[in-house]
Amino acid sequence: MKKELLEKIERLDELWKYQEIIDLIEALPTEQLDTELIGELGKAYNNIENYEKGLKILKSIENEEGDNALWNWRVGYSYFFLKDYIKAEKYFLKAYELEPNDEYARDFACDFLIGTYTALSKLESRNGNSEKAIEYALESRKYAYDEEGRVETDFFLASLYNRYMKYAEAEEILKYILAETQKDEERLFELVYCLFKQEKYEEVIQRLNHTLEVEDKENEKEIVYIYSLLVWCYHQLGDYEKALEYQIKFKEKAHSQIGYQLGYDPKKVEEVLEHSDRAIELERNDTWFFEVKGVILLDTGRYEEALDLFKKAYELANHGWYLYSMGRCLRNLERYEEAIKVLLESRQISLDKNDVVDGEDFELAYCYIGIGDKEKAQKYLDSARDSVTQRGALNDYMKEKIEEIEKGILSLNQFLN
């Protein structure tokens, strides 16, 4: 009878009829329940996504089954989907160790160990712990047992290296991946990013030009992105004719962003603005043109002119980012009360969209320092700091900004005392 029952459970399992398995086992007399059937019951609850109930049932037979690989795997599965990754790691590791010669069971455990370490890495990254995030990513690589797994875990690690500005490490991994998988646009662009950040512009150009030769011409989004990078690279190398050539191509694909890629070199402001003005001749007198030129002027300290352009853009598009940019201009013009009003409006728009607000919060902290309100300055600084830390974005630039605001608040304390 036990054999027939297990065969029926197996058939129901193959048909994904997990609730029928639960009903079948729970209808049995208590004296017929053994650890094998209880294990199947726990598995069935896991499969209907009642992980807490599945875990409770499985833990009831821990004394008898604690050294069984299948039991450890099922418990790890419960913890994994309950997002208790530390405990999931413990049980998946034991399942892996208990079945060194069972290739199928070992591979199954490896898949979930990779998932567990990846989840732990992402969690540490959100908490701003870059070293621990990378440590978990490295751990996940140990359990990749085939080419697909190795590529996925390597790419995840390389992406982390890029995020934490370890570009040389990312480059080494990504070049190895691309040597093995030639047609891989996602990995290519990740490699281009780390080369770009290392100012290896010639190599970026070489790889992007090759991509253009083989790129699907219907994929305009990626082509536009490639053109924008080529504009920047040729400009950095001083080849302005080539830069202009790709600016024009960019215009044809995405209605032009003439001048935008040149907008971050303060030594060439007039040249940049000349390129931006040419956008008008190319029929780009609209919100995007106002935004592009506004960013250039804001970055080069021409706040009144930038403010006028962002106002025009906002009148046309009513986009919260233009309000935020207006707030930045007003803050730099020391028109703090106006800036606070605009920034609070931008902040609410971002919150309504479930977007981050650390940009507004940093600006508000500066503004409240400007009007001598240290409590509100501290409030918005704390909010901005918490946000960038949770997102793993607490880089050197953010740390300098936080330090500058802290000094401003300290100066208020000294002044008020």
Side-chain angles (χ1 to χ4, degrees):
M1 182 177 175
K2 168 80 177 293
K3 181 181 177 182
E4 293 173 356
L5 182 59
L6 289 172
E7 288 175 351
K8 184 174 182 179
I9 290 170
E10 185 177 357
R11 287 194 300 272
L12 290 171
D13 186 76
E14 290 171 353
L15 295 171
W16 297 8
K17 295 184 176 182
Y18 307 120
Q19 187 60 53
E20 290 188 33
I21 294 173
I22 292 169
D23 295 340
L24 177 63
I25 297 174
E26 290 187 340
L28 293 171
T30 304
E31 59 270 15
Q32 288 188 27
L33 293 179
D34 58 14
T35 57
E36 188 172 13
L37 287 171
I38 292 171
E40 292 293 336
L41 181 61
K43 173 189 173 182
Y45 272 109
N46 274 345
N47 285 333
I48 64 167
E49 300 181 17
N50 190 341
Y51 305 113
E52 290 183 355
K53 184 70 175 287
L55 179 61
K56 182 178 179 181
I57 291 167
L58 291 165
K59 292 289 278 184
S60 73
I61 55 172
E62 182 169 9
N63 289 337
E64 297 87 350
E65 298 294 316
D67 291 326
N68 181 294
L70 182 58
W71 179 88
N72 278 277
W73 188 88
R74 287 170 174 169
V75 171
Y77 186 94
S78 297
Y79 279 123
F80 182 87
F81 286 102
L82 289 169
K83 298 185 179 181
D84 189 338
Y85 300 116
I86 295 295
K87 288 183 179 176
E89 175 196 17
K90 171 186 172 183
Y91 289 98
F92 285 139
L93 279 174
K94 189 164 184 181
Y96 176 81
E97 292 164 0
L98 286 167
E99 291 287 2
N101 300 317
D102 186 333
E103 185 175 343
Y104 177 79
R106 190 179 67 246
D107 290 353
F108 225 49
C110 284
D111 286 337
F112 272 89
L113 280 167
I114 290 170
T116 298
Y117 286 123
T118 300
L120 286 167
S121 178
K122 290 178 179 178
L123 185 62
E124 293 294 344
S125 185
R126 285 196 296 271
N127 291 335
N129 191 343
S130 60
E131 291 185 6
K132 197 68 178 175
I134 289 171
E135 179 184 324
Y136 279 127
L138 286 166
E139 199 67 23
S140 73
R141 295 173 87 199
K142 297 178 182 178
Y143 297 97
Y145 56 87
D146 59 13
E147 186 61 26
E148 182 181 358
R150 282 187 286 273
V151 168
E152 289 299 323
T153 54
D154 278 354
F155 180 63
F156 178 71
L157 177 61
S159 301
L160 274 183
Y161 279 142
N162 265 345
R163 181 171 188 172
Y164 295 115
M165 296 180 285
K166 295 178 180 289
Y167 302 121
E169 292 91 335
E171 178 185 352
E172 181 180 358
I173 294 170
L174 290 164
K175 282 184 173 178
Y176 176 80
I177 292 174
L178 287 166
E180 298 296 316
T181 54
Q182 296 295 325
K183 182 68 174 175
D184 196 328
E185 291 161 0
E186 183 182 8
R187 276 84 180 188
L188 171 66
F189 287 132
E190 195 74 30
L191 173 60
V192 164
Y193 176 79
C194 72
L195 293 171
F196 186 85
K197 298 300 286 187
Q198 295 176 87
E199 301 182 3
K200 295 184 177 182
Y201 301 121
E202 293 93 342
E203 187 173 353
V204 172
I205 290 169
Q206 179 186 3
R207 288 183 178 274
L208 291 179
N209 280 330
H210 174 70
T211 302
L212 284 173
E213 293 173 5
V214 300
E215 182 62 60
D216 179 0
K217 298 302 185 288
E218 298 299 316
N219 195 341
E220 293 198 359
K221 183 178 179 181
E222 288 188 357
I223 291 174
V224 166
Y225 176 60
I226 290 170
Y227 285 162
S228 70
L229 288 173
L230 286 169
V231 170
W232 177 264
C233 290
Y234 279 120
H235 184 267
Q236 291 300 107
L237 293 171
D239 191 341
Y240 303 118
E241 290 299 320
K242 273 288 188 183
L244 184 57
E245 175 188 333
Y246 280 103
Q247 286 173 339
I248 293 169
K249 289 182 178 181
F250 195 18
K251 183 248 177 195
E252 294 169 351
K253 285 289 182 186
H255 311 295
S256 180
Q257 294 186 27
I258 294 297
Y260 181 65
Q261 273 72 31
L262 308 180
Y264 296 95
D265 186 351
K267 296 178 183 178
K268 299 184 181 294
V269 174
E270 295 308 319
E271 178 188 352
V272 167
L273 292 176
E274 180 183 347
H275 281 287
S276 296
D277 289 337
R278 285 193 59 186
I280 300 175
E281 300 170 16
L282 296 170
E283 301 178 358
R284 285 297 292 141
N285 191 12
D286 62 12
T287 56
W288 186 244
F289 163 70
F290 293 137
E291 176 183 337
V292 166
K293 193 170 181 181
V295 168
I296 296 167
L297 293 170
L298 175 58
D299 285 353
T300 52
R302 293 163 65 169
Y303 304 121
E304 288 282 6
E305 297 170 79
L307 178 61
D308 182 57
L309 288 168
F310 288 128
K311 282 181 177 178
K312 289 178 180 178
Y314 183 66
E315 287 170 4
L316 290 170
N318 197 32
H319 194 287
W321 190 83
Y322 299 134
L323 280 176
Y324 166 68
S325 300
M326 288 163 57
R328 289 181 64 199
C329 294
L330 290 165
R331 192 265 294 179
N332 280 287
L333 290 166
E334 299 183 7
R335 291 158 61 177
Y336 299 122
E337 298 286 356
E338 292 176 73
I340 288 169
K341 181 179 178 181
V342 169
L343 289 165
L344 287 173
E345 187 177 349
S346 170
R347 189 179 195 274
Q348 189 57 53
I349 291 171
S350 297
L351 288 173
D352 290 344
K353 294 180 177 179
N354 292 320
D355 202 354
V356 296
V357 293
D358 43 81
E360 288 93 337
D361 287 349
F362 278 127
E363 290 297 321
L364 285 165
Y366 280 121
C367 289
Y368 282 115
I369 290 171
I371 63 174
D373 190 333
K374 66 177 184 178
E375 290 185 3
K376 287 188 177 178
Q378 189 68 56
K379 169 188 171 182
Y380 285 105
L381 171 61
D382 291 343
S383 175
R385 182 196 288 116
D386 290 345
S387 176
V388 296
T389 300
Q390 289 170 6
R391 292 190 293 111
L394 189 59
N395 55 31
D396 290 340
Y397 171 75
M398 290 295 183
K399 289 176 182 177
E400 288 176 10
K401 186 190 289 277
I402 290 168
E403 185 178 349
E404 182 180 31
I405 295 172
E406 287 175 335
K407 287 179 180 177
I409 294 171
L410 182 61
S411 70
L412 285 181
N413 289 333
Q414 293 170 344
F415 176 77
L416 293 172
N417 291 332

